[in-house]
Amino acid sequence: LNQSGANRPQSPGRRQFLEGAVIAGTTLGAAANPGFAAAARAAALSGDAEQPADPPGYLRRGSESYERARQDAVWNGKRPERYPDVIRIANNAGDVVEAVRLARRKGWKIGIRSGGHGWNAPHLRNGGLLLDLSYLNDIRVDLQSQTVSIGPAVRARDLQAKLNQHGFYFPTATCPTVGLGGYLLGGGASFTGGIDGVACNSIAAVDVVLADGRQVRADDTSHPEIMWAVRGAGPGFFGAVTRFHLRVKPLPRSMLSSVYVFPRDAVDEFLEWSISMLPSIPAQVSANSVGVASWLPHHQGTILTLFPIAMGEREDETRALLEPFEQCPFLERAVLHQPPAPWTYDAGYALQARMYLKGHRYRADALWVNPQLPGFAEPVKRMLKTLPSPHSHVLWAPWNTDAPLHPNSAYSLHTPLSVHPYGICEEQRDDDAMNAWVNEALRSLEPFSNHGGKVNDNDLAAYPKYVLSPDNTRRLEELRGKYDPDGFFCGYLGSPRPAA
Ligand SMILES: Cc1cc2nc3c(=O)[nH]c(=O)nc-3n(C[C@H](O)[C@H](O)[C@H](O)COP(=O)(O)OP(=O)(O)OC[C@H]3O[C@@H](n4cnc5c(N)ncnc54)[C@H](O)[C@@H]3O)c2cc1C
């Protein structure tokens, strides 16, 4: 679980940072986008697939290149049967301006893809234009100002690796291949959410192409309404972000994690213990739990896992943060226990990559709940007992509701815990069973919820719910009316309000 400290703080890197060295314009390019269908891009560049009425670079439905690009735009193995009329693979912000202007002239609605990790692919719609930004993936680190500017398709692991080299970090997603574009727009839950709050707090400015084809650099002074929506509206945002300007932080000098794995028949003790710990989990500790089929060679069946990760400046302090977990009253029942040991982003990402395999068919969703309400453990136990496939799992993720929240942000819903049922299968014939299990799981959690889900982890088409507070849901609709009065940008797929 722990590697050799490859991305632990390196003092020379930090010194270099403080001395103000600048690494500009580092382009990761196609290497950061390995699944991309190069042939589709070549066809787009040469214009061999479009109809005569389209300028070069537009892939029309019906061509092989179009279908490859359409398939490539969705990370989930469950690719929806939705077909835009045209796909534009942008190479730069100028292409985005041109595509938005063309869409206006043609009356096309626009769906936008950055990393393609949206669980239910809100960018893939029937008709209109799919604007594929997956090649906008360069990283420019400015060590002097402690900022980084990135294209929206940069992946979590690539940004983290670049920053860690210099002794800095950004609160990226816990899954290595998530794109920063959709992640930041939807808030962003990271390994350091307890300290940093949602990742969108750290957006200083964005370059955005608006529905009228204008490109603006927005910050909180020049365009406060745009910045409000950028911080949390997710797929409800009314523009195309071509660049994010982000604040970064020094990498903590000490990062430790421990591991606790119990058999499912310890579920009563496990839930009581993990829920009772919630109010006292320090901000510097991330402590997600997962109930999943065992991958351990020496244990079969469902296992319950807790992986606390602590960050701080001194190892003795970080170790002390993890000590309460070591006091687990039923530790002797663990089928795997690893006491606190050095943790790295590489190690965290390696573990996550094993949980979320590309190619599998995912139905994901989540609700914010109040775990202190009597009876909360029952629906979770039922979910664990009825996992519908070997890969399916339940994640429950504590959230520090005292963590900072930028005063100018649409992001607005949280409670001390989110519960995420993931129905995961390999065959299309099992999709309905995954859906049925997830919907039933959500229904059973409703009495303990605020009827809201995480912006980034939900399927509003399969299960309508709030993703912003009711007031912010209304305000976002007003701003959409102001900035995109003709509704060119697609907006949420499904209803951002609970079903009546
Ligand atoms: C395996 C897996 C693990 C995940 N782990 C985490 C996690 O740890 N923390 C977390 O917070 N979330 C997590 N997520 C959720 C993830 O953050 C969201 O799905 C996010 O939308 C992905 O961003 P993307 O750019 O890759 O996706 P995309 O599918 O490209 O984008 C999603 C939507 O965002 C909008 N959008 C994207 N880019 C732009 C842009 N440049 N301009 C305007 N609108 C845009 C579009 O509406 C688009 O449909 C995970 C998802 C998966 C599949």
Side-chain angles (χ1 to χ4, degrees):
L1 291 169
N2 291 291
Q3 298 181 350
S4 58
N7 59 9
R8 297 186 72 200
Q10 298 294 322
S11 52
R14 180 170 290 187
R15 225 180 9 254
Q16 193 185 18
F17 186 108
L18 296 171
E19 283 164 5
V22 176
I23 303 163
T26 312
T27 301
L28 293 174
N33 198 2
F36 197 80
R41 185 170 186 248
L45 291 173
S46 68
D48 71 357
E50 75 277 7
Q51 290 184 346
D54 300 329
Y58 289 78
L59 299 168
R60 273 275 169 185
R61 184 173 178 187
S63 74
E64 202 181 306
S65 312
Y66 163 98
E67 185 51 20
R68 255 184 271 143
R70 191 188 76 88
Q71 298 261 347
D72 183 70
V74 182
W75 175 85
N76 195 339
K78 188 170 74 174
R79 300 212 164 78
E81 293 289 317
R82 297 193 292 266
Y83 295 85
D85 293 328
V86 189
I87 301 176
R88 173 58 159 147
I89 301 169
N91 290 293
N92 50 50
D95 287 350
V96 178
V97 171
E98 174 218 82
V100 171
R101 290 187 175 157
L102 183 67
R104 280 191 75 83
R105 287 203 299 279
K106 303 254 186 187
W108 293 332
K109 281 196 160 247
I110 306 168
I112 302 171
R113 175 254 172 136
S114 288
H117 267 59
W119 290 107
N120 62 340
H123 51 285
L124 200 63
R125 302 293 176 101
N126 281 322
L129 173 74
L130 168 59
L131 184 52
D132 185 325
L133 307 185
S134 59
Y135 269 78
L136 305 192
N137 63 356
D138 67 307
I139 301 176
R140 298 179 197 160
V141 185
D142 183 337
L143 299 179
Q144 194 157 30
S145 64
Q146 302 197 6
T147 58
V148 61
S149 129
I150 58 165
V154 168
R155 312 259 172 200
R157 180 176 45 202
D158 297 325
L159 178 58
Q160 205 57 258
K162 191 98 203 157
L163 291 172
N164 289 180
Q165 273 172 22
H166 301 287
F168 285 81
Y169 82 96
F170 183 80
T172 49
T174 60
C175 167
T177 49
V178 164
L180 269 291
Y183 169 79
L184 284 167
L185 285 167
S190 67
F191 291 114
T192 54
I195 313 168
D196 296 317
V198 273
C200 66
N201 287 335
S202 305
I203 306 176
V206 289
D207 297 347
V208 57
V209 179
L210 298 172
D212 59 10
R214 266 183 312 141
Q215 187 174 22
V216 300
R217 164 79 50 96
D219 62 27
D220 284 300
T221 309
S222 65
H223 296 85
E225 291 175 337
I226 294 176
M227 290 306 293
W228 179 86
V230 156
R231 295 196 188 96
F237 184 62
F238 44 76
V241 180
T242 55
R243 205 155 194 89
F244 289 91
H245 305 271
L246 308 171
R247 286 181 285 268
V248 301
K249 280 174 135 181
L251 192 59
R253 287 173 196 276
S254 169
M255 302 192 285
L256 299 178
S257 79
S258 44
V259 177
Y260 307 87
V261 181
F262 294 93
R264 199 186 82 202
D265 58 18
V267 67
D268 289 327
E269 297 95 311
F270 185 86
L271 286 174
E272 192 187 328
W273 173 61
S274 55
I275 291 167
S276 70
M277 300 268 289
L278 285 176
S280 56
I281 293 177
Q284 304 93 316
V285 174
S286 131
N288 289 356
S289 291
V290 180
V292 63
S294 175
W295 69 85
L296 300 171
H298 61 284
H299 184 81
Q300 309 292 309
T302 303
I303 50 173
L304 308 164
T305 67
L306 177 66
F307 295 88
I309 301 165
M311 307 213 184
E313 286 308 295
R314 287 186 17 205
E315 183 157 334
D316 55 342
E317 285 170 4
T318 318
R319 211 166 271 283
L321 293 171
L322 293 179
E323 185 51 29
F325 297 95
E326 287 292 293
Q327 300 306 318
C328 171
F330 55 102
L331 196 52
E332 76 288 350
R333 297 197 63 190
V335 291
L336 181 72
H337 167 220
Q338 179 207 274
W343 181 88
T344 64
Y345 273 98
D346 281 349
Y349 280 149
L351 192 64
Q352 290 285 326
R354 269 190 275 153
M355 289 280 295
Y356 297 103
L357 298 176
K358 190 169 159 75
H360 285 174
R361 305 172 69 87
Y362 293 79
R363 163 67 204 289
D365 226 313
L367 275 185
W368 287 113
V369 299
N370 177 354
Q372 306 304 342
L373 287 175
F376 166 73
E378 293 313 311
V380 180
K381 279 193 241 172
R382 212 160 34 247
M383 283 179 229
L384 292 169
K385 227 183 240 170
T386 56
L387 288 172
S389 72
H391 299 293
S392 296
H393 60 261
V394 183
L395 163 75
W396 53 110
W399 187 253
N400 175 13
T401 52
D402 295 329
L405 181 58
H406 196 288
N408 187 32
S409 52
Y411 193 89
S412 40
L413 278 185
H414 57 217
T415 66
L417 192 74
S418 57
V419 180
H420 307 230
Y422 292 98
I424 308 170
C425 61
E426 294 181 59
E427 303 293 338
Q428 186 174 2
R429 62 170 179 264
D430 296 325
D431 287 348
D432 287 348
M434 301 302 116
N435 269 323
W437 177 75
V438 172
N439 284 342
E440 177 49 33
L442 296 174
R443 273 194 291 273
S444 70
L445 288 168
E446 281 289 356
F448 307 93
S449 83
N450 61 3
H451 312 294
K454 273 185 171 167
V455 185
N456 275 344
D457 296 278
N458 71 79
D459 187 333
L460 294 181
Y463 200 93
K465 66 184 89 55
Y466 284 123
V467 284
L468 306 177
S469 69
D471 283 351
N472 286 8
T473 305
R474 269 191 299 276
R475 182 171 184 215
L476 179 62
E477 277 162 15
E478 283 161 20
L479 292 180
R480 284 183 66 82
K482 175 173 171 185
Y483 285 88
D484 183 14
D486 298 313
F488 280 110
F489 291 105
C490 285
Y492 294 116
L493 176 64
S495 168
R497 287 191 167 76

